[in-house]
């Protein structure tokens, strides 16, 4: 089938490919989601020719995946930003990353744990020095907030696969059989017990998972957490930072990792992989006291 025929096909996959075109286009979307929004920055990151990049950007703008926002009039220069249509592609990016990590770079085993010597671990530690993406997430109480804490505080962001209050919103089948999935409640309760120490040291705690806000609200109430949990159910933060994920219970979930960000939302320390959820909290408190 020729590419020109794809947009006429009845298959949604074929229609999507008619917009995406080739793998370079997906990499453009990946980098824009990660905060590289200007032409020169995209070219440096991708190593593609100016003509090829210009063609792909024009195609994505024409299809409403990206929008142009001028930052210079003379000469004309633009930021390329994801539209709502473009953000709809982020779960597809996560699915590709998960498939590549599990089946191409890995042996196909389903795991929520990380390997310290893996490409996934190297990619995660390369987040040091990067700013958190400019996104807002829904807090467990329904308020929309950025991932970093306001008011000049340092931020501890701990990402976890899933924590559930007892009842109908319990853990999905086979959860305990997935390596690394267990320990979210222990980790959250340990952060709660150290909350005053983190506050006294100048850091604010925030937990992040891909669970729905109502699920997080039920867990916050059950566990009596003194800090907020944020929902990345649309995968905006995960895609923007290429965070390690796995899929279980029909949902894309975050592998366990923790970040320390300064008041300018720049990441200064990374904990990944985490094999001891409770012990990682004390390790993070030590990092906070070293940096803040």
């Amino acid at each position: 089938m020729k590419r020109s025929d794809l947009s006429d096909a009845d298959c949604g996959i074929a229609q999507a490919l008619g917009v995406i075109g080739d793998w370079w286009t997906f990499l453009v979307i990946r980098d824009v989601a990660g905060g590289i929004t200007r032409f020169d920055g995209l070219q440096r990151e991708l190593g593609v020719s100016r003509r090829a990049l210009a063609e792909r950007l024009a195609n994505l703008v024409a299809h409403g995946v990206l929008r142009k926002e001028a930052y210079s009039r003379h000469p004309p220069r633009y930021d390329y930003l994801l539209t709502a249509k473009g953000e709809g592609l982020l779960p597809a990016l996560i699915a590709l990353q998960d498939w590549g990590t599990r089946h191409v770079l890995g042996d196909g085993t389903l795991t929520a744990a990380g390997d310290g010597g893996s490409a996934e671990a190297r990619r995660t530690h390369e987040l040091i020095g990067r700013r958190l993406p400019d996104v807002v997430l829904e807090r467990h109480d329904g308020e929309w907030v950025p991932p970093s804490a306001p008011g000049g505080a340092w931020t501890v962001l701990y990402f976890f696969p899933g924590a559930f209050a007892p009842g109908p919103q319990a853990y999905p089948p086979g959860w305990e059989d997935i390596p690394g999935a267990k320990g979210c409640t222990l980790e959250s309760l340990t952060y709660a017990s150290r909350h005053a120490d983190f506050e006294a040291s100048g850091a604010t705690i925030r937990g992040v998972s891909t669970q729905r806000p109502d699920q997080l609200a039920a867990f916050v109430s059950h566990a009596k957490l003194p800090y907020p949990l944020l929902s990345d159910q649309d995968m905006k933060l995960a895609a923007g930072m290429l965070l390690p994920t796995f899929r279980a219970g029909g949902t894309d979930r975050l592998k366990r990792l923790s970040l320390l960000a300064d008041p300018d939302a720049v990441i200064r320390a990374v904990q990944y992989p985490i094999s001891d959820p409770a012990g990682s909290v004390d390790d993070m408190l030590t990092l906070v006291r070293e940096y803040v």
Side-chain angles (χ1 to χ4, degrees):
M1 182 180 290
K2 297 179 181 179
R3 180 179 171 185
S4 60
D5 298 330
L6 292 177
S7 61
D8 298 326
D10 292 331
C11 174
I13 296 174
Q15 292 178 6
L17 290 174
V19 175
I20 298 302
D22 59 22
W23 61 283
W24 279 112
T25 305
F26 249 129
L27 295 180
V28 170
I29 296 169
R30 177 202 68 182
D31 288 348
V32 170
I36 304 174
T37 61
R38 297 183 178 180
F39 189 97
D40 290 342
L42 289 167
Q43 187 190 23
R44 284 194 301 270
E45 185 69 20
L46 296 169
V48 67
S49 72
R50 296 183 68 86
R51 177 179 176 179
L53 178 58
E55 289 175 350
R56 286 159 175 81
L57 289 172
N59 178 66
L60 290 171
V61 170
H63 282 94
V65 175
L66 297 178
R67 63 181 177 87
K68 295 165 65 176
E69 184 174 289
Y71 67 88
S72 171
R73 296 295 182 184
H74 303 289
R77 296 287 187 269
Y78 302 93
D79 282 306
Y80 292 88
L81 306 172
L82 289 174
T83 63
K85 187 176 182 179
E87 289 176 349
L89 281 168
L90 298 183
L93 284 180
I94 292 296
L96 279 173
Q97 175 183 276
D98 182 42
W99 183 81
T101 299
R102 179 177 173 183
H103 295 285
V104 179
L105 298 174
D107 60 6
T109 301
L110 174 62
T111 179
D115 179 351
S118 66
E120 181 179 69
R122 292 193 296 273
R123 183 183 73 242
T124 303
H125 281 273
E126 286 173 358
L127 292 171
I128 294 174
R130 280 187 51 184
R131 284 181 55 86
L132 293 169
D134 186 18
V135 300
V136 291
L137 305 178
E138 189 172 358
R139 208 164 61 184
H140 71 273
D141 58 4
E143 184 176 347
W144 290 85
V145 297
S148 57
W154 287 63
T155 307
V156 173
L157 282 176
Y158 76 96
F159 298 83
F160 59 95
F164 298 84
Q169 302 186 97
Y171 292 93
W175 185 261
E176 293 190 354
D177 297 327
I178 302 173
K182 294 188 298 182
C184 300
T185 297
L186 175 61
E187 182 179 29
S188 296
L189 291 176
T190 307
Y191 267 113
S193 71
R194 304 287 193 277
H195 179 257
D197 295 326
F198 278 97
E199 290 283 311
S201 299
T204 295
I205 302 168
R206 292 185 168 190
V208 184
S209 85
T210 58
Q211 294 170 262
R212 302 190 312 269
D214 63 299
Q215 293 174 320
L216 295 177
F219 180 70
V220 167
S221 177
H222 167 70
K224 297 180 173 57
L225 300 184
Y227 55 83
L229 298 182
L230 313 182
S231 171
D232 192 27
Q233 62 179 342
D234 295 328
M235 311 300 288
K236 293 180 182 179
L237 189 58
M241 296 195 293
L242 296 179
L243 299 179
T245 63
F246 68 104
R247 188 168 181 82
T251 301
D252 293 311
R253 301 183 184 276
L254 294 161
K255 293 185 179 180
R256 195 182 318 281
L257 70 119
S258 300
L259 305 176
L260 176 61
D262 68 18
D264 294 320
V266 176
I267 299 167
R268 297 303 182 189
V270 172
Q271 289 179 316
Y272 186 81
I274 294 174
S275 57
D276 180 2
S280 71
V281 177
D282 288 330
D283 292 341
M284 178 57 77
L285 183 57
T286 299
L287 285 171
V288 168
R289 287 169 172 166
E290 289 177 356
Y291 279 92
V292 179

